[in-house]
Structure formats: structure tokens, C-alpha cells
Amino acid sequence: DAKTTQPTSMDCAEGRAANLPCNHSTISGNEYVYWYRQIHSQGPQYIIHGLKNNETNEMASLIITEDRKSSTLILPHATLRDTAVYYCIVRVDSGGSNYKLTFGKGTLLTVNP
Amino acid sequence: EAQVTQNPRYLITVTGKKLTVTCSQNMNHEYMSWYRQDPGLGLRQIYYSMNVEVTDKGDVPEGYKVSRKEKRNFPLILESPSPNQTSLYFCASSFWTGGSEQYFGPGTRLTVT
């Protein structure tokens, strides 16, 4: 899996968009970008993933640059409950393999009232 | 509601007393996995299962056993718990295809004295 780099922490005002960056300059052509988050001591939660096109679901949007060397997770209207550690993971998804997830240190997003 | 459940959520036990942490998912997922999370060490995989009756070791299997007799259940067994197994445990599951989109249980906080 390609290495990722994320800021250690970020702050965001409640109701504003939270933009979390991730650098993955060594990403391979068949590697996906995944985002998870973990609210304190709760189980990690899958957010979104993409290969090269921008993706949106009910939780967030994922913007991947054209060269795929970086991406941004966007929470459009952050709430206090979005305070969590956010993890960016780059990996290949090949059927029949061990889908072990390896989280780095992630970004602690603090949403302030 | 699609979910992964774990029981118990909290457990305090003594060294050597056998225990089982149950994990159940209702999404018909083929892949299931156990992780432990310790401060500063991140998530470490204990065991995983690609399907019924197919299990394999993760990165830290010593002191643990698993079984996968039914698709929905993947119990974690500690035959003779020791204090170094005090940790926060998570069960996760996913489909065979796109296995990196995983659903995690709420966690089991185990203390072995």
C-alpha cells in the first residue's frame, strides 16, 4: 500500500465545510483512496473511497487530483459529532486477499461550536 | 439495520480464565477480521476469515483463537488471558469484492488483571 501523509490536526467551525487533505504521491494506478474515521474509542467508520473520479455520498465528498497524488475529503457542513481522527488509506483491492487495514496517525479534526 | 455487534462491550477478568468475545454481522459478508487497538500502536490484526471454515493468522495471533462455523459469526477466544492482552478489540466485516470497505463493531474493552 502506498504511503500517505496527513496533517496531525485541524480545526473547523460548526456548520462550515471541513477539508481534510491527504498526500499519496507514490500511489499506483490500481490503488484506491479510502477514508475512515474513528470517534474516540469507537469502531472505525468507513466514509468513502475512490479511484480517480470525484465521489460523493451522504457523508462526504472525495476530491482526487488529476495526477492522483493527493486527495481531499470534504465534510460539507461539519457538526460537533464529526470531531474524530480521520484516516486516509491507499490500497489495492484484489479479491481473495487479506483486507487488513493499516491506519497511520491520521488527522484529528476538532469541530468547534 | 446493517451492523456488526460485539459482546461483551466491557469485560474485566483475571489471568488464566478462558473467555470468548462474540462478533456477529447481519450483512452476509464473507470477510471478517479481528483487530486490537493499543495506545501508540494503532490497529493490529489478530485473525481474519475469508469465508466459513477459512481462517488465517494476522499480525498478532499469539494467545488467541478464532472459529468461523457460520457466515455471520466470528468469535474471538482467549484460552488463557494474560495482562498483555488488555486492550480494545474490534471486529470488522466486508464483502469478498471491495473488501476494504469494512464495517466495524463498537469495540470490546478487555482488562485482564
Side-chain angles (χ1 to χ4, degrees), chain A residues 30 32 34 91-99, chain B residues 50 96-100:
Chain A
N30 60 348
Y32 288 77
Y34 279 81
R91 59 181 290 122
V92 175
D93 260 351
S94 53
S97 64
N98 178 11
Y99 297 116
Chain B
M50 299 301 292
W96 174 275
T97 304
S100 293

Side-chain angles (χ1 to χ4, degrees), chain A residues 34 36 38 41-44 46 49 91 93 95-101 103, chain B residues 31 35 37 43 45 48 50 59 88 90 96 98-102 104-105 109:
Chain A
Y34 279 81
Y36 278 78
Q38 186 173 22
S41 292
Q42 294 183 22
Y46 163 82
H49 75 281
R91 59 181 290 122
D93 260 351
S97 64
N98 178 11
Y99 297 116
K100 178 179 70 174
L101 295 178
F103 294 158
Chain B
Y31 178 86
Y35 294 89
Q37 187 172 38
L43 277 179
Q45 190 184 54
Y48 67 97
M50 299 301 292
D59 296 322
L88 180 58
F90 293 107
W96 174 275
S100 293
E101 182 180 337
Q102 294 184 21
F104 282 77
R109 187 168 291 283

